[in-house]
Amino acid sequence: MQPTHHPLDRPPVFTGIDPDPHQDSMTIHLGESLTSNVLKQCTQAVRELVALALKDCGGSQAAAEVLLGTYNGRSYPMNLTELCRLDDRYYKAAVTVIHLRCRLNTEPHQLLANGDSIFQKLAQEWEHLRVQH
């Protein structure tokens, strides 16, 4: 009798964000460079999360933590369970922003006109998330 394997026994293979046929979605894959198309997708993801972070709703803190954590992770560490508050659209945007920072070595504020001032406003709005060193 062959031993059965649990699906978690195998390491996950990340192939990027799969497209959703029901909406304009982001398809980012490891190893990509910051091409025009990738830049457009990443910029859209940052804009969506900024708009969400400036609202007063359940996913606002998660969006703020992703943005501020990729902007200044030492001062704004992220609680990963906050991602559970995001619907699929915003979750994909969050993963795209994390990918932008970690794999494309680009900080999210760099993609926005007046990005520094926008992120300073986010930092002020979410000051209570800041860890003092």
Side-chain angles (χ1 to χ4, degrees), residues 8-28:
L8 297 178
D9 291 341
R10 286 176 272 146
V13 177
F14 180 78
T15 59
I17 300 172
D18 294 332
D20 181 342
H22 304 293
Q23 66 180 14
D24 292 336
S25 61
M26 295 165 270
T27 307
I28 306 291

Side-chain angles (χ1 to χ4, degrees), residues 2 5 18 22 25 30 38 42 46 49 51 58-59 62 64 70 72 77 83 88 96 112 116 121 124 132:
Q2 292 284 347
H5 294 285
D18 294 332
H22 304 293
S25 61
L30 290 178
V38 171
C42 291
V46 172
L49 291 183
T70 55
N72 182 350
L83 292 173
D88 286 344
T96 298
L112 303 177
D116 282 322
K121 180 178 180 179
Q124 289 172 349
Q132 299 297 325

Side-chain angles (χ1 to χ4, degrees), residues 17 24-28 32-52 66-67 70 89-90 92-101 104 106-115 118-119 122:
I17 300 172
D24 292 336
S25 61
M26 295 165 270
T27 307
I28 306 291
E32 279 189 315
S33 61
L34 203 52
T35 63
S36 169
N37 189 40
V38 171
L39 179 62
K40 182 189 293 186
Q41 292 172 4
C42 291
T43 302
Q44 181 62 30
V46 172
R47 286 183 181 142
E48 288 180 7
L49 291 183
V50 167
L52 182 60
V66 169
L67 292 167
T70 55
R89 172 186 168 193
Y90 290 115
K92 289 177 183 181
V95 171
T96 298
V97 170
I98 292 167
H99 177 77
L100 171 76
R101 181 65 185 99
L104 300 176
T106 303
E107 294 183 8
H109 72 284
Q110 295 172 318
L111 299 185
L112 303 177
N114 300 318
I118 292 168
F119 274 69
L122 284 174

